[in-house]
Amino acid sequence: MARYLVTGGCGFIGSHLVERLLADGHEVTVLDDLSSGKSENLPDAAALIYGDVADPLAVAEAMSGQDGCFHLAAIASVERSRDDWARTHQVNLGGTINVFDAARRADPPIPVVYASSAALYGDNPAVPLSESAEPRPLTAYCVDKLACEHYARVADRVHGVPVVGFRLFNVYGPRQSPISPYSGVISLFMSRISRGEPVTVFGDGELVRDFVYIGDVIQYLTAAMTQPLPGAQVFNVCTGTATSLKQLARLVGELMEKDTGLQSTPPAPERDIRVSVGDPRRLMAEFGFACDTSLRDGLRKTLKWYTASQP
Ligand SMILES: NC(=O)c1ccc[n+]([C@@H]2O[C@H](COP(=O)([O-])OP(=O)(O)OC[C@H]3O[C@@H](n4cnc5c(N)ncnc54)[C@H](O)[C@@H]3O)[C@@H](O)[C@H]2O)c1
């Protein structure tokens, strides 16, 4: 049994991770400011510290006595990073440096597993995107995620912190927020289709994404903590399967046994990059397993949650 700190543990990915860590018999503390997460996402067995990762003292206190830290807290919003640039930078990059800094002050340094993002590939057209593809971040959020990876190398090389990062593609599953830029579209599709309304797709509906089920993501996060790797490595977390928004809408409609009408709105160039599909080979080679939940199965589980959560 180990003691883990999960920053952002009240959010979508964090709350699933907390459940899994508790099920595995670990002790879990969560540091979260509840800005997008909800305390009701958290099982009773986890301790919640209400605090801000941009506050170095709050992070240092939360990190004290832990065996490892999963750092997921971020303002995961391109719009917020445009409208409130300075604050999102303080949280997304400053908060990450605070985590690395607190980790290195322990003796020995505390291992950190953190969430980077596939969004940092920006409009790089080299699909499928491997980890060696050139990052072309288009937004402040993405620049901060890329900088987190650079600082992870500093944490490793200069301060001896064992650290692993994951460039998450479009993670989806139960408890995802409809306003998430990654897979919120799935909840929105479910809500519109259930009301018999047409779903809105950006542009011609041919924006292509790599949807990865939350359960698969959690397996990598936990594996990276138990077998820390040298050199502040980063891995894509993706399936390598391309799904257009049109295909996604049709599949959701089919699972809901409803007709799907489509209407389109103009895409936002900095946000709605046309194709984002990852190459999972490095991930599979290192960890020995794949993101193998099919989109159909993952959507079925998500739909079950969606249906149960409707008033
Ligand atoms: N969901 C995806 O598909 C996806 C893809 C790529 C990267 N990511 C990254 O994964 C991580 C988790 O994303 P998510 O989808 O679960 O988002 P989320 O918004 O559901 O969770 C983020 C959590 O962080 C908390 N938080 C935000 N600012 C904070 C602060 N200043 N101090 C403490 N807590 C704070 C929020 O309240 C929330 O509980 C983020 O780092 C995000 O950038 C997610």
Side-chain angles (χ1 to χ4, degrees):
M1 186 187 115
R3 299 174 71 182
Y4 290 124
L5 176 67
V6 180
T7 73
C10 295
F12 163 49
I13 298 174
S15 61
H16 283 273
L17 174 64
V18 169
E19 273 177 3
R20 166 68 188 272
L21 293 172
L22 291 170
D24 289 349
H26 302 300
E27 204 175 298
V28 180
T29 302
V30 164
L31 177 65
D32 202 300
D33 71 351
L34 303 179
S35 53
S36 63
K38 296 181 189 150
S39 56
E40 54 269 33
N41 283 345
L42 213 56
D44 291 341
L48 172 61
I49 300 174
Y50 175 76
D52 182 357
V53 289
D55 172 359
L57 283 178
V59 174
E61 268 178 41
M63 194 80 96
S64 163
Q66 304 291 342
D67 298 310
C69 172
F70 295 91
H71 175 48
L72 303 174
I75 301 177
S77 160
V78 166
E79 281 74 18
R80 281 283 308 279
S81 81
R82 187 189 55 210
D83 299 342
D84 198 353
W85 187 357
R87 169 66 185 159
T88 57
H89 174 70
Q90 282 162 6
V91 173
N92 293 348
L93 182 56
T96 304
I97 293 173
N98 289 340
V99 165
F100 293 150
D101 193 28
R104 65 127 170 172
R105 288 175 193 282
D107 185 18
I110 295 170
V112 177
V113 173
Y114 71 99
S116 182
S117 172
L120 60 73
Y121 292 114
D123 59 359
N124 188 326
V127 169
L129 293 152
S130 73
E131 290 84 349
S132 57
E134 181 201 1
R136 292 195 197 170
L138 298 175
T139 66
Y141 167 74
C142 304
V143 173
D144 281 336
K145 286 291 187 190
L146 179 58
C148 289
E149 295 187 1
H150 290 302
Y151 279 111
R153 279 187 284 280
V154 173
D156 168 63
R157 291 176 69 102
V158 180
H159 301 293
V161 178
V163 55
V164 177
F166 288 107
R167 292 178 177 172
L168 307 177
F169 279 67
N170 288 67
V171 187
Y172 72 99
R175 292 204 288 275
Q176 67 189 19
S177 158
I179 60 165
S180 159
Y182 289 106
S183 303
V185 67
I186 292 177
S187 299
L188 292 178
F189 282 4
M190 288 177 178
S191 121
R192 291 190 72 90
I193 293 172
S194 68
R195 294 198 301 265
E197 294 170 2
V199 302
T200 304
V201 291
F202 299 113
D204 55 8
E206 294 303 336
L207 293 189
V208 166
R209 292 292 179 268
D210 188 328
F211 291 101
V212 52
Y213 186 65
I214 181 72
D216 293 336
V217 174
I218 299 305
Q219 295 204 59
Y220 293 105
L221 295 175
T222 53
M225 183 59 82
T226 47
Q227 43 172 50
L229 303 161
Q233 296 182 55
V234 287
F235 297 90
N236 286 342
V237 179
C238 58
T239 64
T241 304
T243 304
S244 73
L245 291 191
K246 254 189 203 165
Q247 288 171 322
L248 177 73
R250 290 211 184 93
L251 184 51
V252 172
E254 190 188 315
L255 293 171
M256 296 181 84
E257 299 176 352
K258 299 239 183 192
D259 290 335
T260 313
L262 297 178
Q263 67 187 21
S264 58
T265 59
E270 85 285 11
R271 187 191 59 198
D272 300 322
I273 43 175
R274 213 169 158 74
V275 179
S276 170
V277 179
D279 181 343
R281 281 177 297 180
R282 218 174 136 249
L283 180 78
M284 286 161 64
E286 184 61 53
F287 291 93
F289 52 89
C291 290
D292 56 7
T293 305
S294 69
L295 185 58
R296 182 176 287 273
D297 284 350
L299 285 176
R300 252 195 218 111
K301 292 179 194 173
T302 311
L303 183 57
K304 201 168 158 197
W305 159 79
Y306 174 82
T307 309
S309 65
Q310 294 313 293

